[in-house]
Amino acid sequence: MTIALSLPVTAITIRPLVREDAEAFMLLRLAQAAESEVAMGCTLEEEVSRPMERFYDNLSGGPEAQTFGAFANDRLIGTAAVLRMGDIASYAHKYLLWGVIVSPNYRRRSVARRLVETAIAHVRAQGAHRIQLCMYEPNEAARQLYESLGFTPYGVEPEALCLHGAYFDACLMTLLV
């Protein structure tokens, strides 16, 4: 006899992160760095060494530097952030998508998709024309997500990341919004 156990479906809400979310943001990033330094783009030691003030700064940028969080039962389970790529008019049409992270227990539930869609809608509302991202290889799940949302590769930066003496390329992707 097989008994199927189902996990309770938890409502997931997405909202902009605020200064009071900085500690939860830091802990989520540390967990991601501990799981996959390549996906994170830095070593766990580098992430641990970031002062708390940097996390506060990440959450204090206004519409030109916005971090979104996904919450389940008031617990931060995912993030996606956007940053205007320049502070002069000739760069105002472009944003960078970064920091897309989802807690392992919540993956494959469309949390990352919802976060990225929220980030794209935000960028569109700011009047931007394009959103770009840099994804370290290998990361097939991220590639599939981004391509399913319409991002297309426009280049590869060889050896973009060096972790413990090993080099990893970055896939550069873009989306017209």
Side-chain angles (χ1 to χ4, degrees), residues 33-165:
E35 179 190 352
S36 174
E37 292 178 335
V38 174
M40 190 64 184
C42 67
T43 66
L44 177 58
E45 294 78 18
E46 289 167 332
E47 194 63 24
V48 165
S49 71
R50 288 181 65 190
M52 194 65 193
E53 196 58 40
R54 293 270 311 275
F55 293 98
Y56 291 132
D57 290 347
N58 284 139
L59 305 182
S60 304
E64 294 182 352
Q66 185 67 67
T67 303
F68 297 95
F71 291 83
N73 297 329
D74 296 325
R75 180 174 163 255
L76 182 63
I77 60 160
T79 61
V82 289
L83 173 66
R84 185 165 287 194
M85 293 182 68
D87 60 355
I88 58 175
S90 26
Y91 285 90
H93 67 289
K94 297 189 300 185
Y95 274 74
L96 174 69
L97 175 68
W98 66 276
V100 179
I101 300 169
V102 175
S103 240
N105 292 341
Y106 290 90
R107 291 183 187 152
R108 303 283 182 213
R109 296 186 186 191
S110 297
V111 175
R113 174 175 297 281
R114 288 182 53 203
L115 281 162
V116 173
E117 287 172 341
T118 300
I120 292 169
H122 174 79
V123 165
R124 195 175 283 131
Q126 299 310 306
H129 178 70
R130 182 173 296 280
I131 187 168
Q132 296 174 301
L133 64 86
C134 170
M135 177 195 71
Y136 299 109
E137 305 272 23
N139 193 338
E140 193 55 35
R143 178 185 286 278
Q144 287 176 5
L145 169 67
Y146 298 136
E147 287 180 348
S148 76
L149 290 167
F151 284 88
T152 56
Y154 70 90
V156 173
E157 180 184 348
E159 299 180 345
L161 183 63
C162 181
L163 298 171
H164 311 290

Side-chain angles (χ1 to χ4, degrees), residues 13 120 177:
T13 58
I120 292 169
V177 296

